[in-house]
Amino acid sequence: MLNIIWGSNKDKPEAAKALARLLSADAFHANGYLYIGYPIMGSPIGPVKFDALLLSRQYGLIAFDLVEGLEFVGFEQRLDDIASMLEVKLKPYPALKEGRKLKFEIHTFTFAPAKKALPDSAEPYVLTNRDNLLASVESCLGLSEVLFTNLLAAIQVVTSIRSGKLKREPKNAASRGARLKRVEESIANLDQHQSRAVIETVEGVQRIRGLAGSGKTIVLALKVAYLHSQNPDWKIAVTFNTRSLKDQFKRLINSFTIEQTSTEPDWERIDILNAWGGPGDKEQDGIYHKFCRAHGIDFLDFGVAKGRFGSGGAFGGAVAEALKFSSTINPLYDLILIDEAQDFPPEFLRLCHRFISDPKRLVYAYDELQSLTGNAVLPPEELFGRDASGKPIVEFDYSESAIPRQDIILEKCYRNPRPVLAAAHALGFGIYRTGGLVQFFDQNDLWTDVGYAVLEGQLESGHDVTLARTPETSPLFLEDHSPLDDLLSFVTFPDATAQAQWLFESIKNDIESEELRPEDIVVINPDPLKTQEAVGLVRRLLFGAGINSEIAGVSTSRDVFSKDGAVTFTGIFRAKGNEAGMVYVLNAQDCYSAFTKSQLALIRNRLFTALTRSKGWVRVLGVGPRMDDLALEWSRLKSQDYKLKFKYPTEEEKKLLRLINIEPTAKQTARERRLQRQRDELLQAIRDGDIDVNQLLSDFSSASKETGKK
Amino acid sequence: MNFDDVKLQLDTVLGRAIETGVSVQQNFPKVSRDGGGITLGTMAGSSIALRNVVYKDIYTEIESNELFHIKLPDGGLLIFQYTFHTDGVLKKHRLGFFPSPTLPTLEEAPELYRYDELYGDILSKQIVRFPIRFDFDPKNYRPRYHPHSHLTLGQFENCRIPVTHAVSPNGFLLFVLRNFYHQLYIRHTNVFEKKIPLCMTALCITANERGLPHFGFA
């Protein structure tokens, strides 16, 4: 079967379509890949763009020069260029060459589908049209299985840039520092799913979903670099929630563009923007602010919006207001990419959509389990709203065969060791919770999409099912560096002081004996309201031992985890989008139970986010009985060998779980809290002997009888 | 005020700032010795003296090169620099408070910092901020124009308000907290008003300067 990977090729759309159609005809058999608009490579004379590339087991490697009209003057020169660039790209791979020569032929064809008659031609300058294309392809020689696999791997390398932070020089090969170094070296390259997600370009809306650590941010950054290189005239914006992503995007886009085109990106055409933004210099700007300015709408800052719509609804409210006003739309961008879309109100995605010129190219990436604010991401048909006639503004083609694919899932997780990820899911969903599930995926196949395999039973309502991650979706090198019990552990303490003391000694040991750098260590406190108080003592102890630390926050917002020489303490919001070798989760008891179901889902998501920051080890620390209960959930998971074994909820049960995402009104919550408090006071009064229990019981039973009658 | 006293007090001050969350990011003050004496809190470059530079640029310079010792939650930066003669006696000091030119202060937007609100820094109000410095520099003493110890507000070239004494690390931190971080100070009074190793210092204001508006700082 031939897989077609459709990149950006706006100059020669007809020729590309004709090529794809001919090569996917039933009469033509090839196993491999056809890339459209890929690769693009930097050379001393500027970027060399490939119109199309066919790599198949049967016919080897064929690079195409596409001719849209009738004129193919100068094709020899173009074919020479692409052939020599391919040699440059492929020769560094030892498996592809023998001595100094490549083990295979690089064929180059010019394909001019509109041309009826062609002059005679011969290798290496082959001219083809609709009539002789297949015959010419079929005259090429095939590749051995091994060579094909190696060549495919080399072609799929979208980038060979390795992460710059590999400065570690461990002395002891068994230390955590040394093990982390080996893990980091193994992660350096993109896999084929990721490269495919980078290249495939939709003339419309595209959705990328993936777990934490599946490479969404890298894919988006590469997409910007790739599309900017292909379409230098496009005005592109990248937007996100966490400020610390800004530098990361800038760095990635810069180096990827240099790699692909040998020139720096034109920053006049690419905006890396916060979602909100404000007046002032370019650094402060944001999508919403730009939209207001472009349409002459009153801009609301956080203070005003909060006053009008409340803290949680501030952004959604401000954006909805702006959408109401704009009768004329002045699209500013040709493409907008949105990272962390799970944290945005739907209004913001609608605003982005309206801010883009036709054909409204928008890419949004998210992980539904990471919503920290309690918003669930709607399906695209609802997310982008409906037009006047009630038709969805955006409709997806979900089929597997859609080319290019609109709906991409990155199932492989390159950050978290398998047990850590399984624990994050088990705790996030409440799989082993005494009170039952906390939340659930709506669609059954999402489980397999995010990389779980069904070991026993089936994903059907009411059936028992056992799910586990496979080495395919959670690579083994992420976990086999350490014993299972060392990767993840839960520790309960009698009080906060004991927790702080233990944490201090553990960090000291990590740095002094285990060769971790302070910046490899991050301490996450899941309750944002308590971070400052919670971390004071540990930080003081560390200071006494000469270990520097910082609290990630509004004023330390650059790359949160990048300050050299300091252990980072962070609340959950700043932790997002970042990763570290050793993660300590502090006060995890705050993630065990909550007053309302929606609050419970929220704090479980926080725990999920905290756990999934680790590319090495996790220590979950907490205090008191609720921590014991949380640890119990984990030990149940552990006794199941990190498999998720549970009864799959029925449609009815799922409906109930879905309701958790609807926030109760503030009044209701306040009332529930008041009742809870009164109940606690009552119980205390009974214990103290202030109230006659028997009298109370008889009052209760008569009250409940009255309710029964009603 | 000698090296050992100041070092001991500065370490205590830093420890308290870290424990209370007053310091969210810190650079431990370095000690360097040369023929001329000992410096505590040595900084590469001395950008705090830049006069004809926009304040925002000065702040960015100090912040991005980590030329500060304490960063407060709202981005305010504190610098403590003391130089001593070889015998340990105080030669000069520069103490600086550089508030963030872009972020709202902790007093203006306490919730932003306390709850770490995601969009809390999106405020269109722009308020003028300026640096505050306490310098002790007896070598450059000039009657009426350059007091031994003086306070400089903003970037006014000849602003040198006389101060009675050299200023200790704790004196400086408390001055900043009480006046500009009142809520933080109130919340942690029990930590900041605890006993601290003393840095005794002699009166250095002249009789003439006493006749002018001046600061009393013991």
Side-chain angles (χ1 to χ4, degrees):
Chain A
M1 184 196 146
L2 190 68
N3 298 295
I4 299 175
I5 297 176
W6 205 279
S8 176
N9 181 338
K10 71 182 158 105
D11 298 338
K12 301 163 179 174
E14 292 310 317
K17 270 184 220 157
L19 180 72
R21 212 173 298 132
L22 279 170
L23 293 180
S24 46
D26 290 340
F28 178 74
H29 297 287
N31 296 326
Y33 292 85
L34 172 67
Y35 292 93
I36 305 290
Y38 175 85
I40 177 162
M41 287 178 225
S43 81
I45 46 164
V48 174
K49 300 174 186 179
F50 285 69
D51 292 337
L53 195 68
L54 174 68
L55 172 63
S56 65
R57 176 94 169 73
Q58 289 84 346
Y59 311 112
L61 183 62
I62 305 172
F64 289 93
D65 158 47
L66 300 181
V67 173
E68 190 77 356
L70 300 172
E71 195 56 70
F72 48 80
V73 171
F75 76 98
E76 293 99 335
Q77 170 77 47
R78 293 198 298 273
L79 294 183
D80 284 343
D81 285 349
I82 55 181
S84 40
M85 278 316 288
L86 269 179
E87 268 201 60
V88 170
K89 182 176 167 94
L90 299 173
K91 272 203 168 157
Y93 296 90
L96 301 181
K97 60 188 174 186
E98 213 161 280
R100 295 183 189 184
K101 290 229 169 65
L102 288 171
K103 285 181 185 167
F104 51 88
E105 203 64 39
I106 295 174
H107 303 285
T108 51
F109 288 11
T110 287
F111 175 58
K115 194 91 178 159
K116 288 279 175 282
L118 293 170
D120 284 341
S121 66
E123 290 267 5
Y125 306 111
V126 183
L127 281 173
T128 60
N129 62 10
R130 287 174 194 275
D131 301 330
N132 70 346
L133 175 77
L134 293 187
S136 308
V137 169
E138 280 160 359
S139 70
C140 297
L141 291 178
L143 304 168
S144 73
E145 191 63 48
V146 178
L147 190 55
F148 172 72
T149 313
N150 288 335
L151 184 51
L152 180 62
I155 294 283
Q156 279 171 339
V157 172
V158 178
T159 174
S160 51
I161 290 176
R162 286 171 166 255
S163 146
K165 281 187 83 185
L166 291 173
K167 288 173 286 184
R168 80 193 55 257
E169 284 161 18
K171 295 185 184 66
N172 169 4
S175 71
R176 290 189 198 282
R179 284 180 272 166
L180 192 58
K181 182 177 175 165
R182 290 196 287 274
V183 169
E184 280 169 348
E185 283 167 351
S186 308
I187 305 181
N189 280 326
L190 289 192
D191 69 36
Q192 67 180 76
H193 297 284
Q194 290 171 324
S195 356
R196 192 166 171 182
V198 170
I199 302 161
E200 277 192 302
T201 309
V202 175
E203 297 291 297
V205 178
Q206 188 174 39
R207 167 169 83 167
I208 300 177
R209 283 176 294 166
L211 293 172
S214 58
K216 294 187 291 294
T217 299
I218 301 258
V219 164
L220 288 188
L222 270 163
K223 236 176 156 58
V224 173
Y226 169 70
L227 291 172
H228 173 63
S229 311
Q230 282 285 11
N231 311 282
D233 54 323
W234 281 6
K235 182 91 176 155
I236 302 176
V238 192
T239 186
F240 42 82
N241 229 327
T242 318
R243 233 164 327 198
S244 57
L245 278 177
K246 187 168 184 150
D247 287 340
Q248 203 178 330
F249 265 118
K250 194 155 190 176
R251 210 176 49 234
L252 289 171
I253 292 172
N254 200 49
S255 46
F256 291 150
T257 308
I258 291 175
E259 189 184 30
Q260 295 191 343
T261 64
S262 297
T263 51
E264 292 211 357
D266 175 2
W267 288 113
E268 292 293 306
R269 310 304 299 171
I270 304 174
D271 288 337
I272 305 176
L273 294 170
N274 292 321
W276 198 318
D281 55 16
K282 208 183 158 193
E283 289 299 303
Q284 299 284 326
D285 218 342
I287 295 272
Y288 162 70
H289 178 249
K290 271 185 179 283
F291 187 86
C292 289
R293 209 174 35 201
H295 297 93
I297 303 165
D298 283 343
F299 165 79
L300 305 182
D301 73 4
F302 179 69
V304 176
K306 188 179 161 188
R308 212 177 289 174
F309 310 106
S311 182
F315 192 41
V319 173
E321 203 88 325
L323 284 173
K324 237 185 279 169
F325 270 105
S326 51
S327 45
T328 55
I329 292 292
N330 309 318
L332 187 65
Y333 292 104
D334 298 295
L335 165 71
I336 295 183
L337 302 99
I338 306 169
D339 199 2
E340 306 180 307
Q342 75 272 3
D343 288 341
F344 289 119
E347 289 85 359
F348 179 67
L349 278 94
R350 281 174 210 162
L351 179 127
C352 289
H353 192 251
R354 282 167 79 169
F355 214 12
I356 307 171
S357 57
D358 284 328
K360 300 214 174 272
R361 299 178 197 93
L362 182 143
V363 181
Y364 66 111
Y366 68 90
D367 174 353
E368 27 222 316
L369 258 187
Q370 269 195 70
S371 169
L372 302 182
T373 45
N375 300 328
V377 184
L378 300 167
E381 287 74 12
E382 292 168 49
L383 186 60
F384 292 94
R386 288 166 188 274
D387 62 14
S389 65
K391 198 171 145 299
I393 291 172
V394 171
E395 278 180 287
F396 265 26
D397 179 352
Y398 293 99
S399 62
E400 283 282 315
S401 57
I403 295 171
R405 287 174 308 160
Q406 262 189 300
D407 192 20
I408 292 180
I409 290 185
L410 303 171
E411 56 163 32
K412 207 160 172 165
C413 172
Y414 285 96
R415 183 193 292 147
N416 316 126
R418 178 189 54 96
V420 170
L421 190 55
H425 277 130
L427 295 170
F429 284 118
I431 301 275
Y432 294 110
R433 194 176 80 104
T434 310
L437 291 170
V438 170
Q439 52 191 331
F440 212 71
F441 285 140
D442 252 1
Q443 296 154 277
N444 297 351
D445 45 6
L446 224 58
W447 281 104
T448 42
D449 285 345
V450 300
Y452 280 89
V454 180
L455 294 189
E456 274 170 48
Q458 52 206 129
L459 290 170
E460 265 175 48
S461 60
H463 285 79
D464 285 324
V465 67
T466 306
L467 301 167
R469 297 196 67 77
T470 63
E472 190 46 48
T473 56
S474 272
L476 285 173
F477 70 84
L478 292 170
E479 59 176 290
D480 58 13
H481 55 76
S482 300
L484 204 55
D485 286 336
D486 184 40
L487 289 170
L488 172 67
S489 63
F490 281 58
V491 194
T492 308
F493 299 93
D495 56 54
T497 316
Q499 177 180 245
Q501 187 66 35
W502 187 94
L503 177 57
F504 159 64
E505 275 154 24
S506 184
I507 291 178
K508 194 159 166 271
N509 182 56
D510 288 341
I511 294 171
E512 290 174 359
S513 316
E514 289 288 351
E515 301 189 289
L516 286 178
R517 299 171 302 183
E519 57 269 33
D520 290 326
I521 302 170
V522 67
V523 183
I524 302 174
N525 187 68
D527 187 341
L529 307 192
K530 297 182 192 157
T531 307
Q532 277 180 22
E533 274 74 14
V535 303
L537 181 54
V538 193
R539 289 185 71 222
R540 170 107 205 208
L541 291 169
L542 287 170
F543 170 65
I547 298 171
N548 207 352
S549 68
E550 66 174 36
I551 301 184
V554 180
S555 65
T556 50
S557 61
R558 287 165 297 155
D559 257 320
V560 175
F561 297 179
S562 77
K563 187 179 184 302
D564 280 355
V567 176
T568 303
F569 288 78
T570 174
I572 197 71
F573 290 128
R574 306 279 156 188
K576 293 199 54 199
N578 280 292
E579 58 181 24
M582 174 64 88
V583 169
Y584 292 96
V585 183
L586 209 56
N587 294 322
Q589 74 276 1
D590 289 339
C591 293
Y592 179 69
S593 56
F595 281 117
T596 65
K597 280 180 169 181
S598 66
Q599 187 67 21
L600 181 60
L602 183 67
I603 58 176
R604 289 293 174 128
N605 282 354
R606 287 183 181 153
L607 187 58
F608 175 86
T609 303
L611 291 178
T612 51
R613 295 310 97 199
S614 172
K615 55 182 171 184
W617 308 269
V618 182
R619 305 284 174 261
V620 184
L621 318 179
V623 174
R626 285 186 299 155
M627 181 61 197
D628 284 330
D629 292 337
L630 194 70
L632 183 67
E633 273 183 51
W634 166 66
S635 62
R636 286 178 188 145
L637 171 71
K638 209 168 88 165
S639 68
Q640 294 291 343
D641 197 21
Y642 291 96
K643 294 181 187 113
L644 310 185
K645 191 171 183 180
F646 60 103
K647 188 162 157 284
Y648 204 81
T650 61
E651 284 309 312
E652 204 52 37
E653 287 163 334
K654 272 208 260 181
K655 207 184 269 173
L656 281 173
L657 287 169
R658 255 199 303 278
L659 293 177
I660 60 169
N661 285 315
I662 301 161
E663 268 298 321
T665 62
K667 208 172 163 187
Q668 253 180 329
T669 318
R671 184 178 143 79
E672 277 168 27
R673 276 189 202 176
R674 203 174 56 239
L675 287 173
Q676 176 76 30
R677 201 175 53 238
Q678 287 166 347
R679 182 181 160 276
D680 290 349
E681 280 173 11
L682 201 58
L683 287 172
Q684 190 56 45
I686 292 171
R687 279 188 214 108
D688 297 347
D690 294 345
I691 287 180
D692 178 1
V693 184
N694 292 327
Q695 180 58 41
L696 200 63
L697 282 176
S698 85
D699 290 350
F700 277 156
S701 82
S702 59
S704 86
K705 267 177 209 151
E706 276 165 36
T707 323
K709 274 175 206 158
K710 277 177 202 163
Chain B
M1 203 182 274
N2 62 39
F3 173 77
D4 293 333
D5 293 347
V6 174
K7 171 94 175 77
L8 187 61
Q9 192 185 77
L10 185 54
D11 283 347
T12 314
V13 161
L14 207 55
R16 288 178 181 181
I18 291 170
E19 182 183 346
T20 51
V22 160
S23 177
V24 293
Q25 201 178 71
Q26 57 286 325
N27 296 294
F28 299 158
K30 288 196 190 79
V31 178
S32 65
R33 291 160 206 268
D34 60 24
I38 315 169
T39 304
L40 176 61
T42 318
M43 289 289 176
S46 57
S47 33
I48 55 174
L50 298 172
R51 286 194 193 273
N52 297 316
V53 178
V54 183
Y55 177 57
K56 202 177 166 188
D57 296 345
I58 299 183
Y59 178 88
T60 311
E61 172 84 9
I62 299 174
E63 205 241 345
S64 57
N65 294 314
E66 306 201 329
L67 299 175
F68 58 87
H69 293 112
I70 287 180
K71 183 191 272 179
L72 287 124
D74 63 358
L77 306 176
L78 298 181
I79 295 177
F80 299 84
Q81 193 183 72
Y82 291 87
T83 307
F84 302 87
H85 294 286
T86 34
D87 59 5
V89 174
L90 184 66
K91 191 166 154 189
K92 61 193 258 184
H93 72 53
R94 333 185 78 164
L95 305 170
F97 167 51
F98 296 82
S100 162
T102 48
L103 292 170
T105 66
L106 205 58
E107 301 278 284
E108 287 163 354
E111 290 180 6
L112 160 61
Y113 299 102
R114 186 145 178 74
Y115 305 152
D116 198 4
E117 283 179 295
L118 209 46
Y119 301 108
D121 57 333
I122 311 285
L123 295 173
S124 29
K125 250 192 308 189
Q126 292 283 339
I127 296 155
V128 176
R129 310 249 185 258
F130 58 88
I132 292 171
R133 287 166 34 201
F134 283 98
D135 288 349
F136 177 73
D137 188 10
K139 202 179 146 198
N140 286 312
Y141 170 73
R142 273 169 65 211
R144 272 178 304 166
Y145 300 114
H146 198 297
H148 292 92
S149 180
H150 56 266
L151 165 69
T152 302
L153 300 174
Q155 292 170 276
F156 297 93
E157 198 176 342
N158 294 304
C159 172
R160 292 189 199 92
I161 303 161
V163 177
T164 52
H165 298 75
V167 180
S168 68
N170 194 44
F172 179 55
L173 180 74
L174 287 180
F175 172 80
V176 171
L177 289 182
R178 284 197 192 110
N179 291 292
F180 310 114
Y181 293 89
H182 189 69
Q183 296 172 16
L184 208 54
Y185 172 70
I186 294 292
R187 184 146 21 105
H188 300 292
T189 312
N190 54 345
V191 175
F192 288 115
E193 294 297 350
K194 259 193 242 167
K195 258 197 211 157
I196 195 155
L198 288 179
C199 290
M200 301 300 281
T201 166
L203 196 71
C204 65
I205 193 167
T206 62
N208 188 4
E209 286 161 0
R210 274 190 179 280
L212 305 170
H214 66 274
F215 263 61
F217 224 128

